[in-house]
Amino acid sequence: MKLQTQVPIVSSPHPIGYPSEILLLGSCFANHIGSKLAYYKFKTTLNPFGILFHPISIAHLVERALKDQKFQEEELFLHQEQWHSFEVHSELSRNSKEELLHTLNKQLELFQQKISSCTHLILTLGTAWGYEQKVNGKWVANCHKVPQKEFKKVLSSSSEVVNSLTALITNIRQINPEIALYFTISPVRHLKDGFVENQRSKAHLVAAVHQLLQAMPGQKLYYFPAYELMMDELRDYRFYETDMVHPNALAVDYIWEKFRGSCILNEALGTMETVSEVQKGLAHKAFNPASKQHQEFEKTLQLKIRDLTKCYPHIHF
């Protein structure tokens, strides 16, 4: 008796290994995958400009980085006693204009470096709904609690999403032609937009990404079905947080296992297991630190760390 439908997943033709350099951009679900990769000590850079939900916002930042367009003072604004940029998440907001400007341009330098050197870029798209400033028609990545009357809410069509992603890929490939791009659609439900509106949004994103993949065969583009796994294999509210919007830890672990099985080299799995043993060992609190048994445990743990760092010098605990 089958009690669950299974989402077929095609393994990535360009899987991730420990020599890989991974840049993750996009919604809060990118943070979940990025945190898992970081836990296992892959070379990971996660959302240098904070969480970004819309593909146009991500594409704008990629274009800014590749054109070396530094952030300027006149682009920043003061609201509720903090300085903000409409192009980035509020986690980068600061108490002074000078501090924010320094932070943004430092992150821009990091972003430029990682786009140039990374082997894999994982893009997690959250929504096709976005906002434009009424006063100038400019797109914003985050409204920073500025009154909604200042913005026009827009649902990007699938063709507009395709255009923004095509521009993003074209720009990146100019400086990093061998990069592999992974696309996922965030399983987080944007119910503040409305139930029907959320489904329209996700449909536009799914249609756009698959149209892109069909139009660019053999271009190192890959789709991982995180959204479909949540909707079809985990179609039960017990896999959500209490807000009934975000996947809970169990759901994240389940989707991560699918990602690991389809997107990570088999040769890396043994190293991942050893890294996990070390992480758990470092987190262990000894009942009697002076005991002979604990001293042997510490010795074995340090040998594992030494062997790992010898093989992969980027690994630090």
Side-chain angles (χ1 to χ4, degrees), residues 46-198:
L46 175 59
N47 272 336
F49 293 106
I51 293 168
L52 301 167
F53 297 104
H54 199 288
I56 290 178
S57 301
I58 299 171
H60 282 175
L61 283 170
V62 169
E63 184 177 11
R64 177 188 277 274
L66 298 181
K67 290 183 177 179
D68 196 27
Q69 296 174 340
K70 297 285 194 283
F71 287 90
Q72 305 297 323
E73 284 192 13
E74 57 268 22
E75 297 178 280
L76 312 181
F77 69 97
L78 182 66
H79 180 65
Q80 294 183 345
E81 301 182 47
Q82 278 204 314
W83 286 90
H84 311 275
S85 165
F86 278 125
E87 293 190 47
V88 305
H89 192 268
S90 55
E91 70 180 65
L92 276 77
S93 298
R94 297 292 185 267
N95 292 327
S96 74
K97 183 193 296 184
E98 294 76 18
E99 185 183 3
L100 175 58
L101 193 63
H102 173 76
T103 298
L104 291 175
N105 285 322
K106 186 176 180 181
Q107 291 302 101
L108 187 67
E109 290 179 10
L110 171 66
F111 194 40
Q112 291 168 321
Q113 176 192 342
K114 295 302 178 181
I115 288 176
S116 300
S117 64
C118 68
T119 58
H120 295 76
L121 172 59
I122 300 176
L123 288 171
T124 301
L125 309 180
T127 181
W129 287 102
Y131 293 88
E132 294 177 351
Q133 290 178 267
K134 288 182 179 179
V135 67
N136 56 22
K138 288 186 177 180
W139 193 266
V140 302
N142 194 296
C143 296
H144 302 292
K145 298 184 179 179
V146 172
Q148 195 164 353
K149 65 181 181 180
E150 303 291 331
F151 306 98
K152 176 185 177 183
K153 189 173 181 178
V154 180
L155 178 63
S156 297
S157 67
S158 59
S159 60
E160 288 171 328
V161 175
V162 169
N163 290 340
S164 65
L165 293 177
T166 301
L168 179 149
I169 294 168
T170 301
N171 285 331
I172 292 176
R173 286 267 163 82
Q174 289 178 2
I175 61 167
N176 191 345
E178 297 303 316
I179 189 172
L181 289 98
Y182 285 24
F183 294 93
T184 67
I185 307 300
S186 170
V188 176
R189 307 160 76 205
H190 289 245
L191 295 186
K192 288 184 179 180
D193 293 323
F195 283 83
V196 174
E197 290 80 2
N198 175 65

